[in-house]
Amino acid sequence: MTKRYLGNIITQNPTAPTGNAANGVWSLAEVTAYKKATAWPTLPEAATIGTATDSETGGKIEVAFTPPAELYGGTISQYTATSSPGSITGNSTSSPTTVSGLTNGTSYTFTVSATTGAGTGPLSSASNSVAPSQADRGIFMAGQVLGGSYATNTIDYINIKSSGNATDFGNLSEVRGGGGAAASSTRALCMGGGDIFGAGGSVNYSARIDYVTISTTGNSSIFGNLTASRRSQMGGLSNSTRGCQMFAQNSNGSYSGFIEYVTIATTGNAANFGELSETIANSAACFASPTRGVFCGGNLSNNSLRNQIEYITIASTGNSTDFGDLASASYRMGGTSSDTRGLATIYTNSDYNSGYIQYVTIASTGNATTFGNLSNPGGSYKSSYCSATSNNTTAVIHEGYNNSAGGLNVVSSVTIASTGNAADFGDLTVARFMSTANSGTHGGLQ
């Protein structure tokens, strides 16, 4: 009779069970002995479900759990979290498990199972219901400073939903300020810009368009070029697909009255869109709804300030159309919007302590209405050369420059639907002015 060795039939190499497997032929006595020694692979018990949490990184939920308390010798090789609805899974070797590929805004619950060499054990109870979302990220690119290189290539970001200081994002490809902004839900652009002080070693006039992917961090990539070299003090606006850059001071000192556009998802050079009613520079305010782009204020080449408001239909190339008037002629402004209401910061030569905000209803032509004041207490000058970004409810404003302090890192916020004064939000990482501001969470509107 052939001798049977432990775990085998006729070979002379005994085996022992592991936490993941018990291959071979075993007697009942052997199985019982190994189970008593907690060395036999066994189906795990159910994990204890914890809290499912939105990571705010888009389409992802983190599912926390407590492993089974008693494993009976079975080593758990993985945990699996499964969504309902959709049965979308994520695996891990410890808590939490991340489930990706979910739909933002859809509510899910999750169960967790554990797997050993003996198989997969029972499901945990269901978790809380939670919907994944993308963080409402606002981005501030580059800007002018008053010393050193006289410009910066710093990119910062904030979560618009939560007040607090900005975090470093990366660097723009060139030091410059006053570029035009545009964004889709995924990509933010800085169009043109320059160093208005002409510091040695800097790129004084740039036609370059850079972009970053909003949900990640890192340095910018080259998108393309504007049709002609620009200086700073431009304006930009966009819907979710098309970005428009308008007005500027050219490298020869002349002002610009034409509009260019790009398709944000497709890298390449800008194309001609149309003409403004006048040649404008010096940081007029720009904002947009999903269909209409609006811009207001600015400086004419004879140094007079404008109070005109104009608009374009973003999807249709063509010249701008009259919208209405600001309450006072203004320049060195910042602009942002919800889907329906556009805000513009106001700075005038006649009122150096201006520093207030006006608004319009984007779908309805007409004059602007007073909204409230910025937060910077200022010196002899209130905030100027501002920039702003938003989600659909909150506007965050970089109060760029003050005569007594130079470039500022002050960031304030307002609720767009409710008139009132701005409240402190936090600080940027570098004090500057003429930053380029974007966000992706307002459907590509900034």
Side-chain angles (χ1 to χ4, degrees):
M1 180 177 177
T2 302
K3 180 179 179 181
R4 186 186 73 79
Y5 290 89
L6 182 65
N8 287 290
I9 300 175
I10 59 174
T11 70
Q12 297 184 20
N13 298 315
T15 63
T18 67
N20 293 323
N23 298 324
V25 178
W26 303 86
S27 69
L28 180 59
E30 290 166 344
V31 172
T32 301
Y34 278 110
K35 282 187 174 182
K36 287 182 178 180
T38 66
W40 186 262
T42 307
L43 286 176
E45 294 184 342
T48 301
I49 197 67
T51 302
T53 305
D54 175 24
S55 63
E56 292 194 351
T57 55
K60 297 180 182 179
I61 295 292
E62 292 183 351
V63 184
F65 58 89
T66 302
E70 197 171 1
L71 302 181
Y72 300 106
T75 300
I76 293 177
S77 57
Q78 75 173 24
Y79 297 94
T80 301
T82 304
S83 73
S84 177
S87 297
I88 301 169
T89 60
N91 300 318
S92 67
T93 57
S94 61
S95 175
T97 298
T98 299
V99 182
S100 303
L102 304 170
T103 301
N104 287 342
T106 297
S107 294
Y108 298 89
T109 60
F110 300 86
T111 55
V112 173
S113 61
T115 299
T116 67
T120 298
L123 297 176
S124 69
S125 58
S127 72
N128 56 297
S129 179
V130 62
S133 67
Q134 183 74 45
D136 290 349
R137 181 173 282 190
I139 295 178
F140 296 89
M141 298 178 172
Q144 291 289 154
V145 293
L146 293 180
S149 66
Y150 291 107
T152 179
N153 62 354
T154 298
I155 307 174
D156 294 342
Y157 73 94
I158 56 167
N159 184 347
I160 298 172
K161 293 189 295 187
S162 304
S163 60
N165 295 335
T167 302
D168 181 68
F169 185 98
N171 292 319
L172 205 63
S173 66
E174 297 174 329
V175 294
R176 59 191 196 265
S184 66
S185 60
T186 57
R187 177 178 282 185
L189 275 58
C190 177
M191 301 182 285
D195 176 3
I196 64 173
F197 297 107
S202 70
V203 179
N204 294 341
Y205 311 109
S206 180
R208 180 174 293 179
I209 307 172
D210 289 82
Y211 76 94
V212 296
T213 301
I214 295 173
S215 62
T216 62
T217 57
N219 298 335
S220 68
S221 299
I222 306 303
F223 183 96
N225 289 293
L226 298 171
T227 59
S229 179
R230 294 284 180 272
R231 199 176 180 183
S232 121
Q233 306 168 69
M234 294 179 286
L237 55 86
S238 64
N239 59 14
S240 60
T241 57
R242 176 176 282 186
C244 297
Q245 181 272 326
M246 56 203 62
F247 55 84
Q249 182 166 327
N250 298 318
S251 56
N252 63 5
S254 65
Y255 285 10
S256 171
F258 62 85
I259 310 167
E260 301 176 55
Y261 77 96
V262 295
T263 302
I264 300 173
T266 307
T267 57
N269 296 333
N272 182 59
F273 184 97
E275 297 283 340
L276 305 174
S277 65
E278 299 178 285
T279 55
I280 308 166
N282 222 341
S283 302
C286 297
F287 42 84
S289 72
T291 56
R292 177 177 283 186
V294 180
F295 43 96
C296 52
N299 205 127
L300 301 177
S301 56
N302 64 5
N303 289 323
S304 63
L305 306 187
R306 302 173 76 246
N307 66 349
Q308 288 94 331
I309 309 172
E310 301 178 52
Y311 75 94
I312 57 174
T313 301
I314 299 174
S316 305
T317 58
N319 298 335
S320 63
T321 302
D322 182 67
F323 184 98
D325 292 322
L326 297 169
S328 54
S330 183
Y331 70 141
R332 300 178 181 178
M333 307 163 71
T336 193
S337 70
S338 65
D339 285 346
T340 57
R341 176 177 281 187
L343 307 182
T345 65
I346 301 299
Y347 179 83
T348 72
N349 276 333
S350 60
D351 181 7
Y352 290 137
N353 287 308
S354 44
Y356 51 91
I357 306 167
Q358 294 180 20
Y359 77 94
V360 298
T361 301
I362 298 174
S364 305
T365 56
N367 297 333
T369 303
T370 298
F371 184 96
N373 294 318
L374 296 173
S375 67
N376 175 36
S380 59
Y381 285 75
K382 199 72 172 178
S383 297
S384 64
Y385 289 123
C386 298
S387 60
T389 185
S390 65
N391 58 17
N392 209 30
T393 57
T394 301
V396 180
I397 303 163
H398 173 208
E399 302 191 16
Y401 180 84
N402 177 272
N403 192 53
S404 63
L408 302 174
N409 63 357
V410 175
V411 182
S412 62
S413 64
V414 296
T415 300
I416 298 174
S418 305
T419 57
N421 296 335
D424 181 66
F425 187 94
D427 295 325
L428 299 183
T429 62
V430 175
R432 56 205 197 260
F433 59 100
M434 286 190 193
S435 64
T436 300
N438 280 301
S439 79
T441 48
H442 173 29
L445 308 180
Q446 69 291 358

